[in-house]
Amino acid sequence: MHIDGIFSGGGIKGFALIGAYEAIESRGLRFVRLAGTSAGAIMAALIAAGYTSTELKSIIKGVDGKELLDDTLFDLPFVRWLKVYFSLGLYKGKKLEQWIDGLLMKKGIRSFGDLAPGALRVVTSDITNGRILTLPDDLPAYRINPQTFSIARAVRMSCTLPYFFQPVKLPGPHGKALILDGGMLSNFPLWLFDEEKKKKRPALGIKLSTKTMRMPRQIHNGADLFGAMFHTMKDAHDARYISKRHANNIVFIPVEGTSATDFGLSDEKKDALIQIGRGYTEAFLKRWCY
């Protein structure tokens, strides 16, 4: 059976998405169109390129996450602060982009033009112009040909966690636009496949969830205020949408206890996340009425 798929962001916790994909494959479900944000964008891109869950598990077992981070000179707190202040992020993100590009190239995929029309959509945030940026759909507004735009670059843009990775600069009609993590504005872009009047196939959402119940945040200082603001930007839009529509078509996978930027994750923790994703998705699919 053919379906469309939407994968949420979640940083390193996105290993759970591989387990979810494994359960989906085992049920004989195949994706026609995919969309994702941040870690979900990586997942969506690799599936669109033709990778199976078995291949993806093998790949992540052979990768040390720290090798995907660009080298930083003099790793001292003050130097790191200066780097964030002047470069707007600790890491350039080039190694991550090159890794994704290499994986795509092994399947003969480089740009959006190498995929079927509409097969992949990646969500990012244009903080210069204050808008959600969906790639490749919105690229013509920046005078860029969507067909020739690098998928690896689009995914790296979607993964640009503020202050962790440096923003990507995208040329536009009014100057350079700074692009950051799509999760700032839509961490779970379920709405992308819900704008059509007539559904061609079911859409299944895979969402990494950190809390089963949303508790009020305690805000006592400036750091608490910043954290609360960021999480509100990341979650409020999608939470409002999910609460109104299609909750029965979403797999919620709890991934407590793992930091989104823990690039030194052990193989044991990777396996644990994969198993969590597979288990929750298998349980969901047993009762999914599509």
Side-chain angles (χ1 to χ4, degrees), residues 16 49 76 86 89 96 118 135 141 146 166 177 186 188 195 198 200 233 242 245 250-251:
L76 300 172
F86 288 105
L96 177 62
L135 306 176
Q166 296 173 16
S186 184
F188 183 49
E195 297 173 346
K198 292 184 178 181
K200 294 182 180 179
M233 288 188 296
I242 292 169
R245 305 174 65 91
I250 302 171
V251 183

Side-chain angles (χ1 to χ4, degrees), residues 11 26 40 60 68 120 125 130 188 197 214 225 236 261:
S26 67
I60 64 107
L68 302 180
L120 175 66
S125 300
F188 183 49
K197 293 182 179 179
R214 185 178 298 277
L225 177 63
T261 57

Side-chain angles (χ1 to χ4, degrees), residues 15-197:
F15 285 118
L17 299 175
I18 297 176
Y21 180 34
E22 187 176 26
I24 291 166
E25 273 191 320
S26 67
R27 294 278 292 194
L29 302 172
R30 297 294 179 264
F31 292 111
V32 176
R33 298 182 303 172
L34 294 128
T37 298
S38 194
I42 296 177
M43 194 70 190
L46 294 179
I47 296 174
Y51 279 96
T52 66
S53 60
T54 300
E55 290 176 311
L56 293 181
K57 285 199 297 182
S58 176
I59 288 168
I60 64 107
K61 287 291 183 65
V63 165
D64 180 353
K66 292 182 179 180
E67 295 178 354
L68 302 180
L69 301 178
D70 309 277
D71 296 331
T72 56
L73 298 176
F74 308 109
D75 193 17
L76 300 172
F78 180 69
V79 175
R80 289 166 69 90
W81 182 88
L82 287 176
K83 192 173 184 64
V84 170
Y85 185 83
F86 288 105
S87 301
L88 307 181
L90 283 174
Y91 304 101
K92 294 180 180 179
K94 287 186 177 180
K95 283 191 175 181
L96 177 62
E97 182 176 338
Q98 290 169 354
W99 178 70
I100 296 168
D101 190 50
L103 291 176
L104 294 174
M105 286 295 291
K106 288 181 179 179
K107 296 291 186 178
I109 303 296
R110 187 67 184 271
S111 64
F112 283 99
D114 295 324
L115 298 175
L120 175 66
R121 297 161 93 179
V122 174
V123 173
T124 66
S125 300
D126 178 347
I127 62 170
T128 299
N129 297 295
R131 60 175 293 192
I132 294 175
L133 181 61
T134 302
L135 306 176
D137 304 30
D138 296 332
L139 286 172
Y142 296 80
R143 298 174 182 172
I144 296 173
N145 182 357
Q147 296 296 302
T148 60
F149 196 78
S150 164
I151 294 174
R153 161 78 21 149
V155 172
R156 179 262 187 269
M157 289 162 66
S158 185
C159 294
T160 308
L161 187 67
Y163 301 120
F164 192 80
F165 286 118
Q166 296 173 16
V168 174
K169 295 180 181 179
L170 200 64
H174 305 294
K176 300 275 187 180
L178 292 183
I179 312 300
L180 283 177
D181 196 316
M184 290 183 61
L185 300 179
S186 184
N187 199 46
F188 183 49
L190 185 68
W191 47 272
L192 277 174
F193 293 151
D194 194 46
E195 297 173 346
E196 303 159 352
K197 293 182 179 179

